[in-house]
Amino acid sequence: MEPQQHLIEAAQRGSASAFEQIIIGVERPMLALAAGLASHPDEADDIYQEAIINAYRALPKFRLESQFSTWLYRIFVNTALGYKRKLSNKMSRGLATETEYHGEQYPCPTQEVESAQLSMAIHQAIRCLSEKERIAFVLCHQQELSINQAAHIMSCTEGSVKSYLFRARDKLRKMLHENQR
Amino acid sequence: MTNHTPEQKREAWVIDYLYGELNDEQKAVFEHALESDEQLKQLYEKHSSLDCLLPKGTKPLISDERLQGVRWTTFRGVRQSQKPSFLSYWNNLWRIQLPIKVQLTGMALMFLVGLLIGIEPEVSPFNENIAENNFSESTGPWEFVQNDDYKIVDMNLDAYDKDNGEVTFSFALASQSQVRGNITNPSIRRLLTQSLNTESRDDVRLQLTDLFGKFSDNQEIKAALIFALVNDPNPGVRYNAIEHLVTLSEQKEVRQALMYALVNDVNTGIRVEAFLALTENIDKELMDVIRNHSVDDANTFIRERSKRLLENGASSYNRGNGALSI
């Protein structure tokens, strides 16, 4: 996932085309990350766009010795958190929750008739997690980052990530098993 | 997590095991402990059941259509954020420093000065006898703005006091201008090619790609068409773009865009156009792509044609120029 250094350097000098090439290489996992972090499916695309523009603006400050993907993940997580705060400031969540809810689609392990229901249940269950639990779960479980990387992105200790992850898994397991009954 | 209690230690250990944080030796110790520690076993079984329902690496599904749409709007945002607009620069600068009356007077004066400077008939974009060399360097869209056709848009009341009437607000001035000229005019061409990449209305982008057709060998127009082919969310716009680009399919940057469209575009018509244009001159890179398409492509025509090309390919490969003519 790490882009070529010459592309990063060109993008740091202000080349939008170089930046676009970098982003094309990571856009699908990053959009999936935004979808995982968003409280509501409608927010995912906005978070993605805002995070990418934030990354472009912050790119001149990026140090080449750091890992680009971890830096980008951090921007996405911060953007998602900022987006949520911005929304709650505007008190628009009330409006959004009144509208009909359609969850993100998840691939299901078995191709059964109830797969759509399970997919929605997964999204709703993830949505019920606390902010930190959701971030830890999305980073380690969905994006398959190491606990160390997640701790770096979340600016906390590895122990805290494990704790968030454990609680997230516990809640999800209970909710999903309940849904299956 | 402060691993003080045995329960917390077990939790951390299970997480380490499930997320591959243990080395082989540590794994063996954990697996051995599962046999002797009933509480650890229960905790592990409880947690591993989640992985059956939701295996690691399960991400939300992102469709190609969604990806393409988001890409277009995102890149448009990136390009727009590249430079602060002239208007917003003055808006912000003046709003901070000067009262509104002074701002408006200053704007009017600047406009008059601009008109006086730009009144030279040779550099007018409205001149019908257009020859590329007769035009001076472009000054951007301002060149096409008339002095009396501003509209106030994006009015924002930043702060106001209902009791004493104090108000702070910001706004933008927009101008609806009609321009008659020719696309060979660099100023007009630059404005229109930029619009193809930023305009939000599909019908306008369709018209623009239509207009650009016969001029696609121009560098700016070619770049705009390539951008549209790779990024535009509207299949009609992408189709128009590829229709014009196929005439330049021997050029490296066009080939790369066609290759991208062949591999990534969700629209079959566009992929078929890309395929036909690319296969007029087959190189090694294309052979690799075709090899995949002979098996994987959802479209029967591309699949069958790829197979046939691969069958015939080896015999007519032109080693002299590295290209294969079919």
Side-chain angles (χ1 to χ4, degrees), chain A residues 14 16-17 19-20 23-24 27-29 31-32 35-36 41 44-45 48-49 52-53 56-57 104-107 109 118 122 137 140-144 146-148 157 159-160 162-163 165-166 169-170 172-173 176-177 180, chain B residues 1-3 7 10-16 18-19 21 43 45-64 66-67 69-71 73-79 81-82 227 230-231 260:
Chain A
S17 310
F19 182 71
E20 285 164 8
I23 296 306
I24 284 173
E27 59 190 352
R28 197 179 286 273
L31 190 51
D45 295 359
Y48 175 83
Q49 285 164 25
I52 294 292
I53 290 169
Y56 183 64
R57 286 181 182 149
E104 289 287 349
Q105 292 293 301
Y106 282 83
L118 180 59
I122 290 169
F137 184 79
C140 295
H141 196 89
Q142 291 187 352
Q143 298 286 326
E144 297 182 282
S146 71
I147 287 175
N148 178 278
T157 63
S160 302
K162 287 179 200 174
S163 174
L165 198 51
F166 185 87
R169 289 180 63 96
D170 215 29
L172 288 172
R173 184 183 57 79
L176 292 178
H177 280 293
Q180 285 220 310
Chain B
M1 188 196 270
T2 49
N3 297 327
E7 188 61 29
R10 282 195 195 93
E11 289 172 3
W13 206 11
V14 168
I15 291 293
D16 280 338
L18 288 170
Y19 286 93
E21 297 283 318
L43 200 62
E45 279 172 358
K46 236 168 45 174
H47 272 265
S48 54
S49 69
L50 177 72
D51 292 325
C52 300
L53 277 175
L54 192 55
K56 278 196 283 296
T58 309
K59 300 182 184 79
L61 289 173
I62 306 294
S63 70
D64 290 341
R66 179 178 177 183
L67 200 65
V70 173
R71 181 190 299 153
T73 41
T74 306
F75 288 172
R76 191 175 57 155
V78 166
R79 282 174 187 267
S81 77
Q82 210 172 3
F227 186 86
V230 174
N231 296 296
Y260 181 87

Side-chain angles (χ1 to χ4, degrees), chain B residues 98-297:
Chain B
L98 301 169
I100 188 75
K101 278 182 189 171
V102 182
Q103 288 181 33
L104 289 172
T105 316
M107 279 182 191
L109 278 172
M110 277 190 67
F111 198 83
L112 278 172
V113 171
L115 271 182
L116 287 171
I117 292 169
I119 214 148
E120 290 278 322
E122 295 81 18
V123 297
S124 164
F126 306 99
N127 189 344
E128 284 190 66
N129 302 317
I130 291 161
E132 202 162 318
N133 294 332
N134 288 346
F135 286 89
S136 65
E137 275 296 297
S138 165
T139 52
W142 288 99
E143 198 174 341
F144 305 121
V145 173
Q146 302 291 299
N147 62 351
D148 56 353
D149 56 10
Y150 281 115
K151 278 183 189 168
I152 293 170
V153 292
D154 288 341
M155 171 62 78
N156 285 308
L157 293 189
D158 300 327
Y160 62 93
D161 189 326
K162 282 191 284 187
D163 298 323
N164 64 17
E166 283 292 323
V167 59
T168 310
F169 62 95
S170 55
F171 63 93
L173 291 174
S175 166
Q176 182 70 40
S177 303
Q178 191 177 46
V179 177
R180 193 155 64 94
N182 193 290
I183 200 162
T184 51
N185 174 346
S187 306
I188 291 175
R189 191 170 60 229
R190 194 161 303 138
L191 191 74
L192 294 180
T193 49
Q194 279 175 3
S195 302
L196 178 61
N197 298 349
T198 54
E199 173 60 48
S200 58
R201 283 171 302 165
D202 289 357
D203 56 332
V204 177
R205 298 199 313 281
L206 276 166
Q207 288 172 330
L208 283 168
T209 45
D210 211 25
L211 166 69
F212 289 161
K214 284 191 179 161
F215 306 91
S216 53
D217 52 348
N218 174 277
Q219 197 57 34
E220 272 176 295
I221 290 177
K222 186 169 63 183
L225 288 173
I226 288 175
F227 186 86
L229 173 62
V230 174
N231 296 296
D232 203 286
N234 184 300
V237 175
R238 297 202 304 278
Y239 194 84
N240 270 357
I242 201 167
E243 260 195 323
H244 305 318
L245 287 171
V246 291
T247 57
L248 310 169
S249 67
E250 76 289 349
Q251 294 181 18
K252 196 182 167 199
E253 66 267 40
V254 175
R255 277 187 83 76
Q256 281 177 341
L258 292 174
M259 199 88 83
Y260 181 87
L262 174 62
V263 175
N264 295 298
D265 207 290
V266 289
N267 184 288
T268 307
I270 292 166
R271 284 194 298 110
V272 168
E273 287 288 340
F275 180 83
L276 290 174
L278 285 166
T279 49
E280 280 178 16
N281 277 299
I282 299 183
D283 54 20
K284 192 180 173 304
E285 194 185 359
L286 184 65
M287 286 293 270
D288 294 337
V289 175
I290 285 177
R291 201 160 285 123
N292 292 333
H293 283 269
S294 66
V295 182
D296 293 343
D297 205 285

Side-chain angles (χ1 to χ4, degrees), chain A residues 104-121:
Chain A
E104 289 287 349
Q105 292 293 301
Y106 282 83
C108 293
T110 51
Q111 295 297 316
E112 292 168 0
V113 185
E114 69 264 24
S115 64
Q117 278 177 308
L118 180 59
S119 172
M120 188 173 278

Side-chain angles (χ1 to χ4, degrees), chain A residues 150-161:
Chain A
H152 185 64
I153 292 163
M154 293 173 73
S155 305
C156 63
T157 63
E158 288 186 30
S160 302
V161 174

